[in-house]
Amino acid sequence: MAKKKTTKSQTIDFSKYIRWFWMLFSGGILAVVLLFLFASWGLLGEMPDHTKLENPETNLATEIISSDGVTLGKFYFNDNRTPVDYEDLPKNLVDALIATEDIRFYEHSGIDGRGTLRAIFKLGSGGGASTISQQLAKQLFTDQVSKNKIERALQKVREWIIAIRLERQYTKEEIIAQYFNIYDFGNNGDGIRSAARIYFGKEPKDLDLKESAMLVGMFKNSALYNPIPSRNPVGTRNRRNVVLSQMYKYGYISEEVKDSLQATELDLNFTPETHSQGIGTYFREYLRGFMKEWANEEKNRKPDGSKYDLYSDGLKVFVTIDSRMQKYAEEAVALHMPRLQAEFDHQNTPDRNPTAPFLELTKSEIDKLLKDGMRRGERWRILKKQGKSDKEVEASFYKPVEMRVFKWIDGKRGEVDTVMKPIDSMRYYKSFLHPGMMSMDPSNGHVKAWVGGMDYKHFKYDMVKQGKRQVGSTFKPFVYATAIDQLQVSPCDSFPRTPITIEANKFGNPEPWTTKNSDGNYSGKQTLKDALASSTNTITARLMNEIGPQPVAEMAKKLGVEQDILPVPAIALGTPDISVYEMVAAYSTFANKGVYNKPVMVTRIEDKNGTVLYQVTPESKDVLSEEVAYVTVNLLEGVTQAGSGRRLRHAGFDKWSSVYKEIITGYPYEFDNPIAGKTGTTQNQSDGWFMGMVPNLVTGVWVGAEDRAAHFKSITYGQGASMALPIWGLYMKACYADETLNVSKGEFEKPEELSINVDCEVKDEGDLGDTSGKKEDEGIEIDF
């Protein structure tokens, strides 16, 4: 029997593999540890220190806050960011963020281990692993774009370390608030507050569920998921619906709510926040200049001695403007101006006026006017800066180019694309009538509304403070007030209407000065109250002859008129150029019992931490006695009882009904409360004014073209009662309709001791306008 052959079994030695495994494993762990250490030491790129973590460097816009607590606008260069606290974020917004971006946010300490492992094993196909803390770290402290995968991996490590540090430095709520505040939602929507205002016209706390879902959906890519019609509204809506699905998935909302909201549109209320759009644009531009001057003053420096930056230091500027009154003022302008412009254009068609929009100018005079305008324009400045010769620049004005121009479209501000020669566009823009309007509380000088024009984007010249125009008969109350102060005349005193000539050189006038009455009537007598109501020029001239122009010029200066007024008799009829700003302040002195208050626009300035940097110091002075001021107001009340302001009270069209239907916007106004006021119209109807007062609000309105040569041919349309008064009427109707404003409907307060008689009958002169010294062929009496 043969023996079986046996082989000795061979055993495999795994020890060396095990050693290699542990060496590699340990090496990998060590490499990761070293990677994190190197990153934390800043060897892989700059890392924020404790100070930067505590105070991240972000540009904050300066915020303009109205007297009623509304943000009127902001100053910024690139970052339109105003931070909000966690308490100001609605719960549905936070829930949407957690459900979509980081469901385990409250469980981790900056890094989501499960999400990270999932991303590694699935190579990113199962979703990203970035936590909210990591995304905040990326936004605050790391580059947004990496050139290659290696750089991205190293950046990821830095984000992890910063995220962990952020978690140690801040609470979960503070991290959420910072993330919402830092993100760029597009269209100047830097941070959640700007985004909520721009896309929905709301503060963040007022966002509803579907609005919150849309904004959270934009975190994925705000450039791609942008709701503006010209961008990607469909994709944005789909992304919003994904957010709603995530909220349902994790139990934040019911299926019924999800389904109902997913079927809705985005329902945007797109309100751009740019320097040329929004509310109070002209006021905001004035404020920009004010703030620059303030920042340049040595006493207003930061603790380190540097200047405050208007565009990045997050200042809060508290202003006197009331957002409601500003809105009503702008709406009044927007309602009246397109109707007035339509009539102006109708009267200035080429077949009616070959030199339109200019009247009385020859072709050579028009050419000179336009060429002078060339050299003052932006186009000329830019081309000269490029090295072009005068001849080359001038030639460019006669070559057609594509442009976008302003136009009233269906009664609303708009723009149209066109091809036009720049010289023709100059003439086109000079055909527009412009408004200027300011409203002020006479008791403290607080300016409540400021409308410097009808569209800041296209017409940047501010007709409240920059523009100064002849004031016409709105100057006459300065003459009357001076006469009351010096001569103690009464509104009931009568004066002859006969012609009067002030001889040459009596008051520095080189030639004899004579004025005329519009109706050609020089017989009989008239009380001062009747005379101001109907703007009888000869009686104003008699007062001037008695008191002299020097005291009147001094009175205007005391009332806040800035420039020196040449003391000649002609100023009685309103020849000086004065701004709306100055006129409102002057008239406010009458309403404020003779005390002048310098207009106030800024009450205080705070830094981003709430420290007060500036507090207004009111400037007041006694100009008139309470008695003289009250008597002047009493005279001005006669204008709305029987003069050119009477249309504010009566209803029903009279024999000039066509005028009312065409341009007296908002008629009938039917005010029955005490109103003091005065219309004004300058030579050739170039400027139309209305100054209106109630006890706690004084408002001035001017309307006219850029060049005085562009004006209505007819005094019927060109008078202040037609051009400017309707804006005042529309504005005051809106203010009275808003009972929260408490605009007065009461009597002007009468002094306890009044020695001057004011109880006289006012003769009803009918619906008069202003007087020009000539009788208009339509039969309406007007005053200059």
Side-chain angles (χ1 to χ4, degrees), residues 751-778:
E752 292 183 3
E753 296 184 5
L754 186 64
S755 61
I756 300 175
N757 179 34
V758 295
D759 296 324
C760 47
E761 292 184 3
V762 178
K763 182 180 179 182
D764 189 338
E765 298 289 344
D767 189 8
L768 301 179
D770 294 288
T771 60
S772 66
K774 63 180 180 181
K775 193 167 184 178
E776 174 53 47
D777 55 10
E778 269 97 346

PDB file of all heavy atoms in Angstrom, residues 751-778:
ATOM      1  N   PRO A 751     -53.737 137.343  16.728  1.00  0.00           N
ATOM      2  CA  PRO A 751     -53.095 137.900  17.925  1.00  0.00           C
ATOM      3  C   PRO A 751     -54.136 138.389  18.931  1.00  0.00           C
ATOM      4  O   PRO A 751     -55.227 138.846  18.554  1.00  0.00           O
ATOM      5  CB  PRO A 751     -52.269 139.068  17.376  1.00  0.00           C
ATOM      6  CG  PRO A 751     -52.089 138.775  15.924  1.00  0.00           C
ATOM      7  CD  PRO A 751     -53.326 138.043  15.508  1.00  0.00           C
ATOM      8  N   GLU A 752     -53.791 138.276  20.200  1.00  0.00           N
ATOM      9  CA  GLU A 752     -54.730 138.726  21.237  1.00  0.00           C
ATOM     10  C   GLU A 752     -54.984 140.217  21.142  1.00  0.00           C
ATOM     11  O   GLU A 752     -56.107 140.688  21.351  1.00  0.00           O
ATOM     12  CB  GLU A 752     -54.175 138.361  22.615  1.00  0.00           C
ATOM     13  CG  GLU A 752     -54.135 136.866  22.878  1.00  0.00           C
ATOM     14  CD  GLU A 752     -53.652 136.547  24.277  1.00  0.00           C
ATOM     15  OE1 GLU A 752     -53.407 137.498  25.061  1.00  0.00           O
ATOM     16  OE2 GLU A 752     -53.518 135.349  24.588  1.00  0.00           O
ATOM     17  N   GLU A 753     -53.938 140.970  20.844  1.00  0.00           N
ATOM     18  CA  GLU A 753     -54.087 142.412  20.686  1.00  0.00           C
ATOM     19  C   GLU A 753     -53.805 142.769  19.233  1.00  0.00           C
ATOM     20  O   GLU A 753     -52.684 142.661  18.762  1.00  0.00           O
ATOM     21  CB  GLU A 753     -53.127 143.151  21.614  1.00  0.00           C
ATOM     22  CG  GLU A 753     -53.418 142.925  23.093  1.00  0.00           C
ATOM     23  CD  GLU A 753     -52.505 143.741  23.974  1.00  0.00           C
ATOM     24  OE1 GLU A 753     -51.719 144.556  23.436  1.00  0.00           O
ATOM     25  OE2 GLU A 753     -52.563 143.557  25.203  1.00  0.00           O
ATOM     26  N   LEU A 754     -54.844 143.199  18.541  1.00  0.00           N
ATOM     27  CA  LEU A 754     -54.725 143.527  17.117  1.00  0.00           C
ATOM     28  C   LEU A 754     -55.242 144.940  16.915  1.00  0.00           C
ATOM     29  O   LEU A 754     -56.450 145.198  17.023  1.00  0.00           O
ATOM     30  CB  LEU A 754     -55.531 142.532  16.274  1.00  0.00           C
ATOM     31  CG  LEU A 754     -55.390 142.661  14.758  1.00  0.00           C
ATOM     32  CD1 LEU A 754     -53.961 142.378  14.315  1.00  0.00           C
ATOM     33  CD2 LEU A 754     -56.340 141.685  14.057  1.00  0.00           C
ATOM     34  N   SER A 755     -54.319 145.857  16.630  1.00  0.00           N
ATOM     35  CA  SER A 755     -54.705 147.266  16.489  1.00  0.00           C
ATOM     36  C   SER A 755     -55.113 147.621  15.067  1.00  0.00           C
ATOM     37  O   SER A 755     -55.743 148.647  14.832  1.00  0.00           O
ATOM     38  CB  SER A 755     -53.552 148.167  16.944  1.00  0.00           C
ATOM     39  OG  SER A 755     -52.404 147.943  16.136  1.00  0.00           O
ATOM     40  N   ILE A 756     -54.731 146.786  14.110  1.00  0.00           N
ATOM     41  CA  ILE A 756     -55.038 147.051  12.705  1.00  0.00           C
ATOM     42  C   ILE A 756     -56.340 146.358  12.338  1.00  0.00           C
ATOM     43  O   ILE A 756     -56.514 145.159  12.590  1.00  0.00           O
ATOM     44  CB  ILE A 756     -53.888 146.582  11.792  1.00  0.00           C
ATOM     45  CG1 ILE A 756     -52.595 147.315  12.144  1.00  0.00           C
ATOM     46  CG2 ILE A 756     -54.240 146.774  10.320  1.00  0.00           C
ATOM     47  CD1 ILE A 756     -51.379 146.829  11.368  1.00  0.00           C
ATOM     48  N   ASN A 757     -57.235 147.083  11.719  1.00  0.00           N
ATOM     49  CA  ASN A 757     -58.539 146.525  11.338  1.00  0.00           C
ATOM     50  C   ASN A 757     -58.402 145.574  10.145  1.00  0.00           C
ATOM     51  O   ASN A 757     -57.800 145.926   9.129  1.00  0.00           O
ATOM     52  CB  ASN A 757     -59.503 147.655  10.985  1.00  0.00           C
ATOM     53  CG  ASN A 757     -60.867 147.118  10.563  1.00  0.00           C
ATOM     54  OD1 ASN A 757     -61.320 146.098  11.076  1.00  0.00           O
ATOM     55  ND2 ASN A 757     -61.512 147.817   9.642  1.00  0.00           N
ATOM     56  N   VAL A 758     -58.938 144.360  10.295  1.00  0.00           N
ATOM     57  CA  VAL A 758     -58.906 143.400   9.195  1.00  0.00           C
ATOM     58  C   VAL A 758     -60.316 142.953   8.801  1.00  0.00           C
ATOM     59  O   VAL A 758     -60.470 142.130   7.889  1.00  0.00           O
ATOM     60  CB  VAL A 758     -58.064 142.153   9.566  1.00  0.00           C
ATOM     61  CG1 VAL A 758     -56.616 142.526   9.769  1.00  0.00           C
ATOM     62  CG2 VAL A 758     -58.641 141.446  10.783  1.00  0.00           C
ATOM     63  N   ASP A 759     -61.333 143.480   9.477  1.00  0.00           N
ATOM     64  CA  ASP A 759     -62.714 143.056   9.219  1.00  0.00           C
ATOM     65  C   ASP A 759     -63.343 143.950   8.165  1.00  0.00           C
ATOM     66  O   ASP A 759     -64.063 144.912   8.454  1.00  0.00           O
ATOM     67  CB  ASP A 759     -63.535 143.102  10.511  1.00  0.00           C
ATOM     68  CG  ASP A 759     -63.027 142.129  11.544  1.00  0.00           C
ATOM     69  OD1 ASP A 759     -62.590 141.038  11.138  1.00  0.00           O
ATOM     70  OD2 ASP A 759     -63.047 142.449  12.742  1.00  0.00           O
ATOM     71  N   CYS A 760     -63.020 143.671   6.919  1.00  0.00           N
ATOM     72  CA  CYS A 760     -63.587 144.427   5.821  1.00  0.00           C
ATOM     73  C   CYS A 760     -64.117 143.459   4.773  1.00  0.00           C
ATOM     74  O   CYS A 760     -63.659 142.323   4.673  1.00  0.00           O
ATOM     75  CB  CYS A 760     -62.555 145.363   5.196  1.00  0.00           C
ATOM     76  SG  CYS A 760     -60.950 144.581   4.855  1.00  0.00           S
ATOM     77  N   GLU A 761     -65.086 143.908   4.004  1.00  0.00           N
ATOM     78  CA  GLU A 761     -65.665 143.053   2.976  1.00  0.00           C
ATOM     79  C   GLU A 761     -64.690 142.934   1.809  1.00  0.00           C
ATOM     80  O   GLU A 761     -64.028 143.892   1.428  1.00  0.00           O
ATOM     81  CB  GLU A 761     -66.987 143.627   2.476  1.00  0.00           C
ATOM     82  CG  GLU A 761     -68.089 143.600   3.515  1.00  0.00           C
ATOM     83  CD  GLU A 761     -69.407 144.086   2.945  1.00  0.00           C
ATOM     84  OE1 GLU A 761     -69.449 144.373   1.727  1.00  0.00           O
ATOM     85  OE2 GLU A 761     -70.378 144.187   3.706  1.00  0.00           O
ATOM     86  N   VAL A 762     -64.635 141.732   1.263  1.00  0.00           N
ATOM     87  CA  VAL A 762     -63.797 141.495   0.085  1.00  0.00           C
ATOM     88  C   VAL A 762     -64.686 141.496  -1.139  1.00  0.00           C
ATOM     89  O   VAL A 762     -65.659 140.752  -1.216  1.00  0.00           O
ATOM     90  CB  VAL A 762     -63.064 140.145   0.199  1.00  0.00           C
ATOM     91  CG1 VAL A 762     -62.230 139.901  -1.053  1.00  0.00           C
ATOM     92  CG2 VAL A 762     -62.164 140.157   1.427  1.00  0.00           C
ATOM     93  N   LYS A 763     -64.377 142.330  -2.082  1.00  0.00           N
ATOM     94  CA  LYS A 763     -65.147 142.380  -3.318  1.00  0.00           C
ATOM     95  C   LYS A 763     -64.817 141.169  -4.159  1.00  0.00           C
ATOM     96  O   LYS A 763     -63.658 140.863  -4.400  1.00  0.00           O
ATOM     97  CB  LYS A 763     -64.810 143.659  -4.085  1.00  0.00           C
ATOM     98  CG  LYS A 763     -65.611 143.816  -5.377  1.00  0.00           C
ATOM     99  CD  LYS A 763     -65.226 145.100  -6.071  1.00  0.00           C
ATOM    100  CE  LYS A 763     -65.986 145.265  -7.384  1.00  0.00           C
ATOM    101  NZ  LYS A 763     -65.582 146.496  -8.093  1.00  0.00           N
ATOM    102  N   ASP A 764     -65.833 140.446  -4.608  1.00  0.00           N
ATOM    103  CA  ASP A 764     -65.628 139.240  -5.424  1.00  0.00           C
ATOM    104  C   ASP A 764     -65.283 139.657  -6.847  1.00  0.00           C
ATOM    105  O   ASP A 764     -66.119 140.171  -7.581  1.00  0.00           O
ATOM    106  CB  ASP A 764     -66.903 138.397  -5.411  1.00  0.00           C
ATOM    107  CG  ASP A 764     -66.685 137.029  -6.054  1.00  0.00           C
ATOM    108  OD1 ASP A 764     -65.736 136.909  -6.832  1.00  0.00           O
ATOM    109  OD2 ASP A 764     -67.461 136.112  -5.744  1.00  0.00           O
ATOM    110  N   GLU A 765     -64.037 139.439  -7.228  1.00  0.00           N
ATOM    111  CA  GLU A 765     -63.552 139.831  -8.558  1.00  0.00           C
ATOM    112  C   GLU A 765     -63.726 138.723  -9.582  1.00  0.00           C
ATOM    113  O   GLU A 765     -63.260 138.823 -10.698  1.00  0.00           O
ATOM    114  CB  GLU A 765     -62.075 140.217  -8.479  1.00  0.00           C
ATOM    115  CG  GLU A 765     -61.781 141.403  -7.577  1.00  0.00           C
ATOM    116  CD  GLU A 765     -62.273 142.715  -8.150  1.00  0.00           C
ATOM    117  OE1 GLU A 765     -62.557 142.741  -9.364  1.00  0.00           O
ATOM    118  OE2 GLU A 765     -62.371 143.686  -7.411  1.00  0.00           O
ATOM    119  N   GLY A 766     -64.352 137.626  -9.189  1.00  0.00           N
ATOM    120  CA  GLY A 766     -64.473 136.500 -10.112  1.00  0.00           C
ATOM    121  C   GLY A 766     -63.205 135.691 -10.115  1.00  0.00           C
ATOM    122  O   GLY A 766     -62.308 135.903  -9.321  1.00  0.00           O
ATOM    123  N   ASP A 767     -63.118 134.767 -11.037  1.00  0.00           N
ATOM    124  CA  ASP A 767     -61.970 133.871 -11.081  1.00  0.00           C
ATOM    125  C   ASP A 767     -60.841 134.523 -11.863  1.00  0.00           C
ATOM    126  O   ASP A 767     -60.694 134.315 -13.060  1.00  0.00           O
ATOM    127  CB  ASP A 767     -62.380 132.547 -11.705  1.00  0.00           C
ATOM    128  CG  ASP A 767     -61.270 131.523 -11.550  1.00  0.00           C
ATOM    129  OD1 ASP A 767     -60.296 131.767 -10.859  1.00  0.00           O
ATOM    130  OD2 ASP A 767     -61.423 130.462 -12.169  1.00  0.00           O
ATOM    131  N   LEU A 768     -60.073 135.355 -11.155  1.00  0.00           N
ATOM    132  CA  LEU A 768     -59.010 136.095 -11.825  1.00  0.00           C
ATOM    133  C   LEU A 768     -57.711 135.346 -11.761  1.00  0.00           C
ATOM    134  O   LEU A 768     -57.441 134.604 -10.841  1.00  0.00           O
ATOM    135  CB  LEU A 768     -58.834 137.464 -11.163  1.00  0.00           C
ATOM    136  CG  LEU A 768     -60.071 138.379 -11.172  1.00  0.00           C
ATOM    137  CD1 LEU A 768     -59.725 139.667 -10.464  1.00  0.00           C
ATOM    138  CD2 LEU A 768     -60.527 138.665 -12.587  1.00  0.00           C
ATOM    139  N   GLY A 769     -56.886 135.615 -12.715  1.00  0.00           N
ATOM    140  CA  GLY A 769     -55.527 135.101 -12.658  1.00  0.00           C
ATOM    141  C   GLY A 769     -54.603 136.227 -12.251  1.00  0.00           C
ATOM    142  O   GLY A 769     -54.940 137.021 -11.399  1.00  0.00           O
ATOM    143  N   ASP A 770     -53.466 136.351 -12.910  1.00  0.00           N
ATOM    144  CA  ASP A 770     -52.502 137.397 -12.608  1.00  0.00           C
ATOM    145  C   ASP A 770     -52.554 138.476 -13.685  1.00  0.00           C
ATOM    146  O   ASP A 770     -52.995 138.245 -14.783  1.00  0.00           O
ATOM    147  CB  ASP A 770     -51.097 136.808 -12.542  1.00  0.00           C
ATOM    148  CG  ASP A 770     -50.949 135.868 -11.384  1.00  0.00           C
ATOM    149  OD1 ASP A 770     -50.913 136.344 -10.254  1.00  0.00           O
ATOM    150  OD2 ASP A 770     -50.863 134.668 -11.641  1.00  0.00           O
ATOM    151  N   THR A 771     -52.081 139.642 -13.356  1.00  0.00           N
ATOM    152  CA  THR A 771     -52.167 140.766 -14.282  1.00  0.00           C
ATOM    153  C   THR A 771     -50.848 141.039 -14.947  1.00  0.00           C
ATOM    154  O   THR A 771     -49.820 141.091 -14.315  1.00  0.00           O
ATOM    155  CB  THR A 771     -52.637 142.032 -13.537  1.00  0.00           C
ATOM    156  OG1 THR A 771     -51.703 142.299 -12.533  1.00  0.00           O
ATOM    157  CG2 THR A 771     -54.004 141.823 -12.963  1.00  0.00           C
ATOM    158  N   SER A 772     -50.876 141.295 -16.211  1.00  0.00           N
ATOM    159  CA  SER A 772     -49.648 141.506 -16.970  1.00  0.00           C
ATOM    160  C   SER A 772     -49.453 142.945 -17.380  1.00  0.00           C
ATOM    161  O   SER A 772     -48.456 143.300 -17.954  1.00  0.00           O
ATOM    162  CB  SER A 772     -49.665 140.652 -18.224  1.00  0.00           C
ATOM    163  OG  SER A 772     -50.678 141.104 -19.067  1.00  0.00           O
ATOM    164  N   GLY A 773     -50.403 143.768 -17.089  1.00  0.00           N
ATOM    165  CA  GLY A 773     -50.322 145.112 -17.635  1.00  0.00           C
ATOM    166  C   GLY A 773     -50.959 145.162 -19.006  1.00  0.00           C
ATOM    167  O   GLY A 773     -50.921 146.155 -19.691  1.00  0.00           O
ATOM    168  N   LYS A 774     -51.624 144.092 -19.421  1.00  0.00           N
ATOM    169  CA  LYS A 774     -52.321 144.081 -20.697  1.00  0.00           C
ATOM    170  C   LYS A 774     -53.505 143.146 -20.568  1.00  0.00           C
ATOM    171  O   LYS A 774     -53.551 142.281 -19.703  1.00  0.00           O
ATOM    172  CB  LYS A 774     -51.406 143.613 -21.834  1.00  0.00           C
ATOM    173  CG  LYS A 774     -50.915 142.178 -21.665  1.00  0.00           C
ATOM    174  CD  LYS A 774     -50.018 141.778 -22.801  1.00  0.00           C
ATOM    175  CE  LYS A 774     -49.530 140.336 -22.637  1.00  0.00           C
ATOM    176  NZ  LYS A 774     -48.642 139.929 -23.725  1.00  0.00           N
ATOM    177  N   LYS A 775     -54.469 143.320 -21.402  1.00  0.00           N
ATOM    178  CA  LYS A 775     -55.666 142.504 -21.329  1.00  0.00           C
ATOM    179  C   LYS A 775     -55.570 141.380 -22.339  1.00  0.00           C
ATOM    180  O   LYS A 775     -55.355 141.607 -23.514  1.00  0.00           O
ATOM    181  CB  LYS A 775     -56.897 143.360 -21.608  1.00  0.00           C
ATOM    182  CG  LYS A 775     -58.203 142.664 -21.250  1.00  0.00           C
ATOM    183  CD  LYS A 775     -59.353 143.648 -21.241  1.00  0.00           C
ATOM    184  CE  LYS A 775     -60.636 142.992 -20.788  1.00  0.00           C
ATOM    185  NZ  LYS A 775     -61.755 143.951 -20.727  1.00  0.00           N
ATOM    186  N   GLU A 776     -55.694 140.140 -21.845  1.00  0.00           N
ATOM    187  CA  GLU A 776     -55.594 138.971 -22.715  1.00  0.00           C
ATOM    188  C   GLU A 776     -56.826 138.877 -23.598  1.00  0.00           C
ATOM    189  O   GLU A 776     -57.952 139.148 -23.169  1.00  0.00           O
ATOM    190  CB  GLU A 776     -55.438 137.725 -21.840  1.00  0.00           C
ATOM    191  CG  GLU A 776     -55.465 136.423 -22.576  1.00  0.00           C
ATOM    192  CD  GLU A 776     -54.476 136.383 -23.691  1.00  0.00           C
ATOM    193  OE1 GLU A 776     -53.313 136.752 -23.505  1.00  0.00           O
ATOM    194  OE2 GLU A 776     -54.879 135.978 -24.787  1.00  0.00           O
ATOM    195  N   ASP A 777     -56.647 138.474 -24.853  1.00  0.00           N
ATOM    196  CA  ASP A 777     -57.752 138.484 -25.801  1.00  0.00           C
ATOM    197  C   ASP A 777     -58.831 137.475 -25.462  1.00  0.00           C
ATOM    198  O   ASP A 777     -59.938 137.587 -25.958  1.00  0.00           O
ATOM    199  CB  ASP A 777     -57.227 138.282 -27.231  1.00  0.00           C
ATOM    200  CG  ASP A 777     -56.395 137.031 -27.370  1.00  0.00           C
ATOM    201  OD1 ASP A 777     -56.356 136.217 -26.443  1.00  0.00           O
ATOM    202  OD2 ASP A 777     -55.780 136.884 -28.434  1.00  0.00           O
ATOM    203  N   GLU A 778     -58.536 136.458 -24.602  1.00  0.00           N
ATOM    204  CA  GLU A 778     -59.596 135.564 -24.187  1.00  0.00           C
ATOM    205  C   GLU A 778     -60.482 136.207 -23.128  1.00  0.00           C
ATOM    206  O   GLU A 778     -61.515 135.685 -22.770  1.00  0.00           O
ATOM    207  CB  GLU A 778     -59.015 134.267 -23.597  1.00  0.00           C
ATOM    208  CG  GLU A 778     -58.824 133.172 -24.611  1.00  0.00           C
ATOM    209  CD  GLU A 778     -57.409 133.142 -25.112  1.00  0.00           C
ATOM    210  OE1 GLU A 778     -56.690 134.111 -24.863  1.00  0.00           O
ATOM    211  OE2 GLU A 778     -57.029 132.149 -25.756  1.00  0.00           O
TER     212      GLU A 778
END
